Amino acid sequence: LRSIARASLGLFIVRSEQAKEDYIAQMIDLYHVDGVVFHDCRTCSTNTNTRYGMPRRLAERTGIPSLILDGDVNDLRCVSDEQARTNVEGFIEQLADAKHATRSVVA
Amino acid sequence: MMFAGIDSGSWNTKAVVIDADARVLGTAVTRSGADLSAAAEDSYRTALERAGCVRDDISAVWSTGFGRQCVTFADGSRTELDCHGRGAAHYVAGPLVVIDIGGQDAKVIRLDASGQRLSHRMNRKCAAGTGSFLDEIALRLGIPIERMDALSTGFTEELELSSFCTVFAGTELLTLIRSGKRPADLAMAAYRSLVKRIIALDVLQGRVVATGGVIAHHPTMVKLLEHELRADIVVPPHPQEMGAFGAALAARDGASSVGPLAAEPERGQSVTVIGGITNAR
């Protein structure tokens, strides 16, 4: 019972906003992450971490940029392939430009 | 040396020809229609004519917009997120927030002092908060979209559309029309509704620049945005052609071309087998 409780309460999606933020910040650091992609899941707020300013707080805290993709876990009406493609492509451009700028400064 | 940019948008295809100093020599706006390649050709040809030059004079032409991969003659492409930011940053010193309102999407792009993109936010799949919302309203009011801005300036009563959903706002409008409300007041209410949707996209602080076809043809939108944000909004030259101008700048500056992303399997191709029953979606 104790382990079920621990497993249930330790799940990422049931943790507080602060715990989630700390966890992502830790992962950014551990894996030297260049950018974070958030999924705004239309019909599941528990699976969505973008609605209370977390992307902004994380960007301020870590300096790592993020992208929010709008979508859903099951309702395709909330998904737009073309917009997702432009969003991802735009984010890659942004990350590539930032890397290029850093390299130029270092060089 | 001359460069060109083509912005293949959902509604219009824009083309811009610039010289090496980024001076605009010729522009064109044509309807995109169902054949994006043809529209790009058409728009490009007109912009070249207006610039007084021919294709061979152009060192590089880059494409942008949702149909950027359909511009077959382009030497490279960048997303409209990049191009609108790039174009705006050419005219206005950063840090900046760029609001672009197009026919089918709206976006907020944040740039740092050197014009580097910090973040962007686009509207959802839904067309609320875009030019097509205004098209629908104009249709309901029975006026050409070109007349909507002038009409709205004669408003006398502050009406509110409770929804920014294009479909719901359309039906709400019918109720208001039936109750005898004036078209000028209804047009203004539509603009107010659109502004509400735009300012909800992201935090809009600092120097704000507005671009896109809606901004170019509906000056009332700028006034309402300024009122809501309690700040001046900068409208750069040729706001509707800003994406194409940004693409021309990318061509001139030799930016790296990212797209197209690796093709994904079509939805229809995925076949799953569940308990012996082939379930082809």
Side-chain angles (χ1 to χ4, degrees):
Chain A
L1 199 63
R2 196 177 292 277
S3 51
I4 290 174
R6 192 181 298 128
S8 305
L9 294 174
L11 276 176
F12 179 80
I13 63 163
V14 299
R15 302 297 304 276
S16 69
E17 206 47 17
Q18 186 61 51
K20 286 175 170 179
E21 188 186 314
D22 291 344
Y23 178 80
I24 299 174
Q26 219 180 324
M27 293 301 118
I28 287 173
D29 193 40
L30 181 64
Y31 292 106
H32 307 290
V33 167
D34 293 314
V36 182
V37 179
F38 286 94
H39 177 215
D40 190 312
C41 181
R42 186 66 164 172
T43 60
C44 185
S45 56
T46 334
N47 254 317
T48 301
N49 301 303
T50 60
R51 296 184 190 164
Y52 306 105
M54 198 193 294
R56 204 179 162 83
R57 285 199 306 277
L58 268 172
E60 279 165 13
R61 178 170 164 182
T62 64
I64 300 299
S66 63
L67 169 73
I68 300 172
L69 280 183
D70 294 308
D72 198 53
V73 274
N74 61 44
D75 192 342
L76 284 178
R77 288 173 305 179
C78 304
V79 179
S80 167
D81 288 346
E82 218 37 67
Q83 278 169 317
R85 186 173 287 118
T86 297
N87 264 311
V88 171
E89 211 174 297
F91 193 48
I92 294 171
E93 285 173 348
Q94 180 189 338
L95 296 178
D97 285 352
K99 270 223 160 130
H100 183 73
T102 320
R103 265 205 298 274
S104 305
V105 170
V106 173
Chain B
M1 292 261 273
M2 285 183 271
F3 303 89
I6 313 287
D7 179 0
S8 177
S10 59
W11 207 243
N12 287 312
T13 301
K14 287 77 72 179
V16 168
V17 176
I18 61 168
D19 65 12
D21 294 323
R23 276 187 298 250
V24 175
L25 305 175
T27 66
V29 180
T30 54
R31 274 286 143 112
S32 296
D35 188 343
L36 299 180
S37 303
E41 284 282 350
D42 193 27
S43 195
Y44 190 30
R45 196 181 325 111
T46 310
L48 285 170
E49 270 169 29
R50 288 179 183 161
C53 57
V54 292
R55 274 170 185 248
D56 285 346
D57 299 331
I58 305 296
S59 305
V61 49
W62 279 44
S63 64
T64 187
F66 104 108
R68 60 191 174 282
Q69 304 307 339
C70 300
V71 184
T72 45
F73 55 84
D75 301 304
S77 73
R78 297 285 280 184
T79 62
E80 52 271 41
L81 298 157
D82 178 81
C83 291
H84 277 275
R86 198 179 279 268
H90 176 79
Y91 288 111
V92 190
L96 285 185
V97 178
V98 183
I99 303 174
D100 172 62
I101 313 174
Q104 203 63 251
D105 66 24
K107 43 197 164 286
V108 173
I109 306 155
R110 318 174 79 81
L111 304 170
D112 70 9
S114 64
Q116 286 279 345
R117 186 143 37 98
L118 295 172
S119 69
H120 68 257
R121 195 80 181 102
M122 274 172 84
N123 64 318
R124 285 178 168 274
K125 186 179 191 173
C126 164
T130 71
S132 17
F133 174 78
L134 295 179
D135 277 319
E136 173 69 20
I137 300 295
L139 195 71
R140 299 270 183 188
L141 293 177
I143 55 161
I145 184 74
E146 297 80 16
R147 277 194 47 220
M148 193 158 159
D149 193 80
L151 176 69
S152 72
T153 53
F155 89 101
T156 48
E157 187 185 355
E158 202 159 301
L159 296 177
E160 195 164 347
L161 290 177
S162 57
S163 175
F164 39 62
C165 165
T166 308
V167 179
F168 289 161
T171 46
E172 201 178 334
L173 207 65
L174 286 180
T175 315
L176 291 168
I177 289 171
R178 234 186 353 252
S179 66
K181 297 297 181 190
R182 296 173 61 243
D185 298 332
L186 295 170
M188 191 50 121
Y191 284 128
R192 269 201 217 96
S193 162
L194 188 53
V195 164
K196 261 197 285 181
R197 181 77 182 127
I198 298 294
I199 59 171
L201 272 178
D202 205 344
V203 181
L204 303 171
Q205 280 170 346
R207 189 174 293 144
V208 180
V209 176
T211 66
V214 169
I215 293 296
H217 298 289
H218 304 270
T220 300
M221 280 294 292
V222 179
K223 283 184 210 139
L224 289 176
L225 276 168
E226 285 183 328
H227 179 74
E228 282 295 327
L229 299 176
R230 294 184 187 83
D232 288 336
I233 287 180
V234 185
V235 180
H238 54 83
Q240 186 169 19
E241 296 93 329
M242 193 50 75
F245 176 69
L249 286 179
R252 184 195 67 165
D253 302 338
S256 60
S257 188
V258 171
L261 295 174
E264 59 188 298
E266 291 296 316
R267 283 215 179 95
Q269 289 172 355
S270 77
V271 175
T272 48
V273 180
I274 305 166
I277 301 164
T278 305
N279 177 22
R281 283 195 296 142

